[in-house]
Amino acid sequence: YQRRVRGKMCATMIAAVLLVLVAVPPATTFPSPVEAKCTPGLTPAAGSLKGTKALLVVTSHSKLGDQNCTSCKPTGVYGEEMTAPYFLFRDAGMETTIATISGGTVPIDPTYNSSLLQTSSDKRFYLDPQAYSDSHNTPAVKDVRFSEYDIVFMAGGWGAAWDLETSDELAAGVTQTYANPKQFLGSVCHGALGFIRATKPDGSLLCNGTKMTGVTNKQIEQLGIASVTPYHPQDELVKAGAEYQCKHGFLTDLLSNDVVTDGRIVTCLLYTSDAADEEDSVDLGGRRIIKKKKERTSV
């Protein structure tokens, strides 16, 4: 509970950066929001991106273990990592599609989804008829034409540790998206696993030499999930050749966060940040995002 009260969602900031990248001409250089000390201007005016499209990729895995496990606890996407970017994209006027690896209903991790811990975007999501429909009738990734979207954003959650990296169809979709210089890619937390098997036009791994981030090994360990999930973003990104970057806390990484931008790829460390004090953060669409620049560690 303390982590949620103090922490604020990074997916909102990532989604906002992607929106700005879509909105500006390709030749425009837009710095990382951490480097630029974010401003409220990251959020486009309501409806200003009408005519563009966003794809939100979410896990289909709903068990902390094999999908057919009858004794495993439920999991899925971490709610806010889907709901926050969903509304940021939709409110900007983008036609927003939620796709899951296998299609059907989105599994939402119930662990942190009690009414006490729900954010404003979570509560809005459950009351919104369109959001309900979009999350209960999702197309499978294999049936999605990635070329139709301006933004492809991959949400995290523990379920993503099972099926994002292992999906041939997602790897192909990310590869296709990156090959188009007019499209943009983003991820939060375990969503970074969707990049691992994607490739550049020359056939090399997309992660190779790319500045990226995702939930740290220390964060996974402190969340008590390290021995359960099969793939860990920090390990996988490093093995794929990414220039992995992160921020570590003094005693814990649970409140640490980072946003890394490399060209058309924007990745985020975790769904929480330490932008809790008003003087250290600015408002972005009703949320708080990091304002002070902090030291970043390359691993």
Side-chain angles (χ1 to χ4, degrees):
Y1 176 71
Q2 183 180 15
R3 181 170 83 242
R4 171 61 62 156
V5 171
R6 295 190 59 201
K8 295 297 179 182
M9 168 61 168
C10 182
T12 303
M13 181 156 61
I14 284 244
V17 174
L18 288 169
L19 290 180
V20 172
L21 290 173
V22 168
V24 297
T28 301
T29 300
F30 188 80
S32 160
V34 175
E35 300 298 327
K37 296 185 179 180
C38 306
T39 68
L42 284 174
T43 305
S48 61
L49 292 180
K50 188 175 181 180
T52 59
K53 300 175 70 173
L55 177 65
L56 187 53
V57 179
V58 180
T59 180
S60 286
H61 196 86
S62 61
K63 301 286 183 66
L64 282 175
D66 293 337
Q67 189 61 36
N68 60 0
C69 176
T70 58
S71 60
C72 296
K73 294 181 178 179
T75 190
V77 64
Y78 190 96
E80 193 181 11
E81 293 181 11
M82 173 181 65
T83 64
Y86 173 83
F87 284 118
L88 194 58
F89 294 149
R90 210 181 80 176
D91 291 348
M94 303 190 79
E95 181 181 334
T96 304
T97 300
I98 299 175
T100 52
I101 300 300
S102 301
T105 300
V106 173
I108 300 178
D109 194 319
T111 307
Y112 303 109
N113 200 37
S114 68
S115 59
L116 181 64
L117 300 179
Q118 285 181 3
T119 64
S120 57
S121 62
D122 292 330
K123 294 175 180 177
R124 179 183 172 189
F125 195 88
Y126 291 118
L127 294 173
D128 189 293
Q130 184 63 53
Y132 181 91
S133 176
D134 289 346
S135 61
H136 282 71
N137 301 284
T138 71
V141 166
K142 67 180 180 63
D143 297 323
V144 173
R145 297 182 63 179
F146 280 71
S147 60
E148 295 182 353
Y149 295 90
D150 300 275
I151 289 174
V152 175
F153 181 93
M154 294 173 284
W158 293 334
W162 272 269
D163 61 1
L164 261 64
E165 181 174 344
T166 59
S167 171
D168 294 335
E169 294 82 8
L170 180 57
V174 173
T175 296
Q176 180 184 30
T177 301
Y178 184 74
N180 184 343
K182 295 182 179 180
Q183 291 179 276
F184 300 87
L185 289 150
S187 71
V188 59
C189 195
H190 281 78
L193 292 170
F195 286 108
I196 302 302
R197 295 171 57 207
T199 58
K200 299 175 183 177
D202 63 5
S204 62
L205 289 176
L206 176 55
C207 295
N208 189 31
T210 304
K211 298 180 179 65
M212 307 180 84
T213 193
V215 61
T216 69
N217 287 340
K218 187 176 180 180
Q219 286 168 328
I220 294 172
E221 291 167 0
Q222 292 177 336
L223 287 167
I225 203 69
S227 63
V228 180
T229 51
Y231 297 104
H232 302 162
Q234 179 176 343
D235 289 341
E236 298 303 309
L237 287 170
V238 170
K239 284 192 293 185
E243 185 179 325
Y244 181 81
Q245 300 181 344
C246 66
K247 294 174 183 175
H248 292 295
F250 177 64
L251 296 176
T252 177
D253 269 14
L254 294 182
L255 300 179
S256 299
N257 209 351
D258 200 3
V259 172
V260 176
T261 301
D262 192 337
R264 294 177 291 114
I265 297 176
V266 188
T267 52
C268 179
L269 190 68
L270 194 63
Y271 52 81
T272 59
S273 78
D274 54 2
D277 299 326
E278 291 188 6
E279 62 183 19
D280 294 340
S281 59
V282 293
D283 189 72
L284 177 60
R287 311 300 303 287
R288 291 284 165 185
I289 58 174
I290 299 171
K291 183 178 179 182
K292 284 188 174 180
K293 178 179 177 181
K294 297 191 175 183
E295 293 301 319
R296 180 184 287 133
T297 303
S298 293
V299 178

